[in-house]
Amino acid sequence: PHHATSLAIAIATLKLSTHTASGVSTNDVPSASSSSVRATSLPMASACRTYPLERAIDRSRNKGAPDEFYFMTNHSYCFGHAEKTIYNVKNWLRNQQLFEHNTMNDLWAEIDTIFAGNPWKGEGVAGEKQQLAFLVCYNIDGFRRVIDQHKLLSQFQLAKEVRRRIALDDGELLKFGFEWLKLFFNKSTSIIKK
């Protein structure tokens, strides 16, 4: 839940622990003026509940969780900066329940990076590949119908529990859809065809 109490953070001294596929890594949290932010770090949409933090991730990674960076904003209209409660970034993310939101943003960044490379290759506006990508990313109910009609899940080596989660949870379906799109566009994916 969103709390009116904002945070006061000494950006230069904070560390953020994030879970990765290989364990736990610690990244420095740079200030907005820090030169340590790589050019490949691009802002990701942040939930209003993250305010006054803004998040950027490094899209150039090959595998594992992306490096993430947080920036503190300080707008004169935000009186939360004067609050006495102080959070570090890790605690603020936990307090605002942002793990799932950030995970989905990271997955979306992978797909958006594929799209930025123009996988459509001249098929024109609203071509077949574009319509399919739009269906997966923006019409989860329509994608679910396609999955059911074409028995798409049965074409992949998926554990019974994974199939159950996909059947019951739109977030899990979207994650599968992202992996399926990566396969469709000949990119590295976690799903394996039978």
Side-chain angles (χ1 to χ4, degrees):
H2 180 70
H3 296 279
T5 305
S6 287
L7 59 148
I9 300 176
I11 284 293
T13 62
L14 288 179
K15 298 279 189 184
L16 170 66
S17 294
T18 57
H19 295 285
T20 65
S22 60
V24 176
S25 68
T26 303
N27 301 315
D28 289 328
V29 179
S31 68
S33 61
S34 172
S35 62
S36 67
V37 178
R38 294 182 289 260
T40 55
S41 296
L42 300 174
M44 290 302 302
S46 292
C48 292
R49 66 185 351 139
T50 65
Y51 185 84
L53 287 181
E54 293 191 20
R55 181 175 186 251
I57 63 168
D58 183 351
R59 292 189 191 202
S60 66
R61 70 186 175 93
N62 290 326
K63 59 184 175 179
D67 291 333
E68 58 184 2
F69 306 91
Y70 287 89
F71 303 90
M72 175 83 155
T73 60
N74 192 345
H75 297 105
S76 59
Y77 54 79
C78 178
F79 298 111
H81 296 283
E83 294 289 332
K84 294 183 193 287
T85 304
I86 297 175
Y87 292 89
N88 64 26
V89 173
K90 182 179 178 181
N91 289 339
W92 183 251
L93 296 176
R94 183 181 302 122
N95 179 273
Q96 298 302 302
Q97 302 172 357
L98 289 164
F99 177 76
E100 183 68 18
H101 174 81
N102 287 345
T103 298
M104 294 305 283
N105 268 353
D106 295 348
L107 297 174
W108 168 249
E110 290 182 56
I111 298 302
D112 189 46
T113 300
I114 292 170
F115 294 169
N118 188 19
W120 330 116
K121 303 294 184 219
E123 77 173 17
V125 176
E128 187 176 305
K129 290 179 183 176
Q130 291 176 36
Q131 288 181 24
L132 188 60
F134 184 88
L135 177 73
V136 171
C137 297
Y138 299 106
N139 184 352
I140 201 71
D141 294 327
F143 182 50
R144 186 173 297 286
R145 283 190 297 274
V146 167
I147 291 253
D148 292 341
Q149 289 170 356
H150 297 280
K151 301 191 184 328
L152 194 60
L153 295 181
S154 67
Q155 298 175 27
F156 296 93
Q157 296 176 21
L158 298 170
K160 188 176 183 179
E161 177 58 24
V162 171
R163 290 176 196 272
R164 188 187 72 71
R165 286 195 318 261
I166 291 170
L168 298 174
D169 185 310
D170 286 348
E172 293 299 318
L173 176 60
L174 185 58
K175 290 175 188 176
F176 171 80
F178 287 165
E179 291 301 313
W180 184 73
L181 281 175
K182 289 191 283 185
L183 180 69
F184 184 77
F185 289 116
N186 298 312
K187 304 295 180 186
S188 178
T189 181
S190 65
I191 58 175
I192 301 169
K193 286 191 72 97
K194 285 184 177 177

